[in-house]
Amino acid sequence: MSFIADPVNFIANWLTTVLTGWGASASLIQIILFVIGAGLLSLGPLLLTILLIWVERKIGGRFQDRLGPNRLGPWGIIQPIADMLKIFTKELITPTGADKVPYNLAPILAAGSVIAVWAVIPLASTVYGVNINIGAVYILAFGALGELGFIMAGLGSNNKFALLGGFRVVANLLSYEVPMILILLVPVMFSGSLGMNDIALSQTVWNVFLAPLAAIIFFITLIAENARAPFDLIEADSEIVAGFNVEYSGLKFGFFYVADFLHSVTAALVFSTLFLGGWRGPGAETYPILGFIYLVIKAAIIYFAILHIRFSIPRFRIDQMMSFNWKFLTPLSMMVLVTTALLNKLVPGDLTLVRVAVMWAANLVLWVAADQIVKRVVKKQAVPEVAQPRPLARPPQVGTNDILGG
Amino acid sequence: MTAVKLIFLMTAVVILGSAVAVVSARKIIHAALWLVLTLLGVAVMFALLESSFFAVVQVLVYIGAISILIIFAVMLSRSSFVDEGSQTHRRWWIAAIGLLVIFVAWVAVLSLWPQWSVTSTPLPATATDLATLGKQLVDPNAYLLPFELSSILLVTALVGAIFTAMERKGDQP
């Protein structure tokens, strides 16, 4: 095993030999390697966030026809480091009447739950935190813990806006979990395992080709679960100031900020693993580093798509968001799940091309049917216009002899 | 003492302590948050028993869904449910003595039970196979009836909730 092909295991093996030479026992070496691995796996995403903040601001700037950060360093690349140093020096303010323990625990839960997800994502064929046989459910469980962090923030801040943000967290995240769980069963069904590495390993044909509709629904629910625009109602600045994190300052706010930015890249990694074959690609099994590069490329494309949607689509109204989930996504994902399950059993696995063709046809039929039904319903339930909008935003008395205005 | 035993004892202390805090917290929202900690401790217990599926499902269902709904319901209600006044009954010592007697009796009965001193052996890898669990849930000879009954119970609760919340024609707005 050479260093170039598989650097992580090369270093791990080298460290094992060195420690054995020093006379450490096998179990101690195991513990040391676990601690180093866990440390790196949780530090890596945090450091990656510094780059991600720059990437997101720069791309966002381009989408909105401005330059983005451009003062510090080449292309403004040092800007997030300066911002980070500034946030370290800020005062940590606790509002009067805040519920201290939930208030302080919330940022830790929010950031920690995202980093915990990285433990089960296979970064290459040989490099992953743990290959537990329930990786997919583990991701959902830690998503739920992150939700709890947001709720505790909204609850403990003693602020009405924060509380409203907390309500919206439950409404948004809990309801989009339903189609997400349903759709998560599709890749699980194809691979016959809940382990993330097994799912990546089983994708000789990428799942996105076998279940395109499921992939689209999963992508939408991922954006909604991360509370990214157009589903960012929980921190809608124009309605509830900043939602659940309005009272946070300094490093505690920084934790939420990190969680937010890390969420989208973690979502991209999860999506790539579940539907785009993860680290799979030509030569990835013999040279694990290639697999890592493939995964990064796939995740980067998905990440760019998430950013593209974030900067292009305006925010949903809350009733639109809820009815989109409960009246469209959830029934559709149930149909997709049942159809895919039936066809998966009916068409044998070795006829790859037939399988892909049948799956595409079924998905297309489902999509057209859903589209037609939604069109009919929308036409039937047209929102009545209550009043004609006034041409100018001014009181009616202006310019008259009325004592109220003029 | 092995590391597993140490973790078990620490988890047990956390579970019991937070369970006491659930019933003794003065604010109901604090009780709900303590309940989350208790359930998290139970998840750690499942993980210690090498049943990672149940550990994760415990977090997903009990913390991700049920606790969040409890907290949501409390948040929606106007009153903050702060408990005032004494939390103990005047004759609390009678209950304490009764509990102690029951506890001693339980320990006495359990220590007579032969299974009490059997050390558990790790389950074989096939025992934690999820496919087996899934098949058992829909097998008429295994757990089909309880499984279906519990789903009927949930549907009943759902219908009841919808019926309670539904706006009927004659209702005042």
Side-chain angles (χ1 to χ4, degrees):
Chain A
M1 195 189 301
S2 69
F3 177 76
I4 304 287
D6 192 358
V8 174
N9 282 309
F10 183 81
I11 292 171
N13 285 339
W14 171 78
L15 211 60
T16 315
T17 11
V18 169
L19 286 173
T20 324
W22 289 353
S25 67
S27 60
L28 183 68
I29 293 173
Q30 186 84 7
I31 290 172
I32 289 172
L33 285 181
F34 272 156
V35 167
I36 293 175
L40 284 180
L41 204 56
S42 43
L43 202 63
L46 284 178
L47 292 179
L48 181 68
T49 315
I50 300 172
L51 183 70
L52 287 180
I53 292 173
W54 176 78
V55 168
E56 182 149 355
R57 288 182 60 188
K58 201 76 185 168
I59 293 177
R62 291 295 173 175
F63 269 113
Q64 294 166 350
D65 200 13
R66 50 191 175 83
L67 288 174
N70 59 358
R71 291 295 149 135
L72 279 170
W75 317 293
I77 202 165
I78 307 180
Q79 186 68 47
I81 296 173
D83 288 347
M84 189 182 73
L85 292 176
K86 187 180 139 207
I87 222 169
F88 283 152
T89 62
K90 291 259 184 178
E91 186 189 356
L92 294 172
I93 301 166
T94 307
T96 326
D99 213 337
K100 289 257 169 47
V101 176
Y103 178 79
N104 291 318
L105 203 59
I108 301 171
L109 260 183
S113 64
V114 194
I115 295 169
V117 170
W118 283 62
V120 293
I121 296 174
L123 296 174
S125 60
T126 52
V127 183
Y128 39 77
V130 278
N131 186 24
I132 44 175
N133 58 352
I134 38 146
V137 191
Y138 174 93
I139 289 175
L140 291 175
F142 274 90
L145 271 187
E147 264 170 53
L148 193 68
F150 292 155
I151 293 174
M152 276 157 77
L155 191 92
S157 295
N158 189 26
N159 181 309
K160 290 281 189 287
F161 287 124
L163 196 63
L164 281 173
F167 288 155
R168 288 183 172 194
V169 169
V170 183
N172 184 350
L173 304 191
L174 211 59
S175 29
Y176 275 83
E177 237 173 42
V178 175
M180 191 178 192
I181 291 176
L182 286 173
I183 285 303
L184 199 65
L185 290 177
V186 170
V188 168
M189 216 154 52
F190 285 139
S191 67
S193 166
L194 283 164
M196 290 298 272
N197 201 29
D198 298 338
I199 292 176
L201 206 59
S202 72
Q203 291 180 51
T204 39
V205 184
W206 290 359
N207 282 340
V208 69
F209 293 122
L210 285 174
L213 208 48
I216 293 171
I217 297 175
F218 193 72
F219 183 65
I220 294 172
T221 51
L222 267 182
I223 296 177
E225 281 291 302
N226 295 340
R228 286 253 144 180
F231 299 98
D232 59 343
L233 285 126
I234 67 172
E235 42 187 312
D237 342 36
S238 53
E239 298 161 30
I240 49 172
V241 194
F244 62 92
N245 61 13
V246 64
E247 289 288 1
Y248 285 86
S249 66
L251 211 51
K252 289 180 196 165
F253 172 73
F255 265 78
F256 283 120
Y257 201 61
V258 164
D260 184 31
F261 279 88
L262 210 49
H263 253 310
S264 45
V265 79
T266 312
L269 280 174
V270 169
F271 185 86
S272 321
T273 308
L274 287 176
F275 283 99
L276 299 181
W279 46 262
R280 281 190 81 101
E285 306 232 4
T286 38
Y287 302 102
I289 186 114
L290 269 180
F292 180 68
I293 293 170
Y294 293 141
L295 182 67
V296 168
I297 293 172
K298 288 168 189 172
I301 293 170
I302 298 300
Y303 182 63
F304 185 78
I306 293 176
L307 290 191
H308 196 321
I309 290 170
R310 177 187 172 179
F311 289 113
S312 320
I313 301 179
R315 188 178 296 135
F316 279 138
R317 229 168 43 213
I318 193 141
D319 61 317
Q320 288 171 336
M321 186 190 77
M322 295 311 270
S323 54
F324 178 60
N325 176 47
W326 290 111
K327 296 178 187 166
F328 181 69
L329 278 188
T330 309
L332 185 60
S333 47
M334 277 178 195
M335 288 305 294
V336 167
L337 181 65
V338 173
T339 319
T340 318
L342 281 177
L343 290 178
N344 191 35
K345 279 287 167 202
L346 283 178
V347 186
D350 42 352
L351 303 168
T352 310
L353 266 180
V354 178
R355 217 161 116 90
V356 171
V358 168
M359 288 291 185
W360 269 89
N363 274 295
L364 204 66
V365 168
L366 273 181
W367 176 253
V368 170
D371 192 48
Q372 287 301 318
I373 292 170
V374 167
K375 264 186 193 157
R376 292 245 175 97
V377 171
V378 166
K379 207 179 272 177
K380 213 183 279 175
Q381 294 182 341
V383 181
E385 210 167 280
V386 181
Q388 288 298 320
R390 251 187 268 137
L392 280 176
R394 60 171 197 201
Q397 297 89 2
V398 172
T400 61
N401 291 332
D402 198 305
I403 46 164
L404 285 171
Chain B
M1 189 187 282
T2 59
V4 173
K5 246 182 202 169
L6 193 69
I7 297 173
F8 170 79
L9 285 178
M10 274 158 53
T11 319
V13 168
V14 168
I15 292 177
L16 291 178
S18 49
V20 169
V22 171
V23 286
S24 63
R26 290 203 176 251
K27 267 189 181 174
I28 196 154
I29 200 77
H30 287 169
L33 291 174
W34 281 114
L35 184 66
V36 170
L37 190 60
T38 315
L39 296 170
L40 210 58
V42 177
V44 174
M45 281 292 175
F46 277 127
L48 279 179
L49 292 170
E50 295 185 8
S51 174
S52 47
F53 177 70
F54 285 109
V56 170
V57 165
Q58 170 85 11
V59 173
L60 182 66
V61 173
Y62 281 94
I63 296 173
I66 293 181
S67 302
I68 286 183
L69 281 182
I70 292 175
I71 294 172
F72 189 51
V74 176
M75 273 161 86
L76 274 181
S77 52
R78 190 178 291 237
S79 149
S80 59
F81 294 114
V82 184
D83 196 10
E84 304 284 345
S86 168
Q87 283 181 308
T88 48
H89 192 260
R90 262 184 302 134
R91 300 213 171 74
W92 61 271
W93 49 272
I94 298 179
I97 290 171
L99 263 178
L100 201 68
V101 168
I102 292 172
F103 181 70
V104 170
W106 257 111
V107 172
V109 168
L110 276 178
S111 58
L112 292 177
W113 189 39
Q115 295 284 322
W116 183 250
S117 51
V118 173
T119 43
S120 57
T121 46
L123 287 170
T126 49
T128 52
D129 187 19
L130 286 182
T132 322
L133 175 74
K135 276 177 191 148
Q136 292 277 305
L137 284 181
V138 289
D139 187 1
N141 297 322
Y143 302 106
L144 179 66
L145 193 64
F147 180 68
E148 291 297 331
L149 278 180
S150 58
S151 48
I152 288 174
L153 181 71
L154 287 178
V155 170
T156 317
L158 208 64
V159 171
I162 292 171
F163 183 76
T164 318
M166 195 171 57
E167 278 180 35
R168 275 171 294 268
K169 258 183 187 167
D171 278 5
Q172 294 294 317

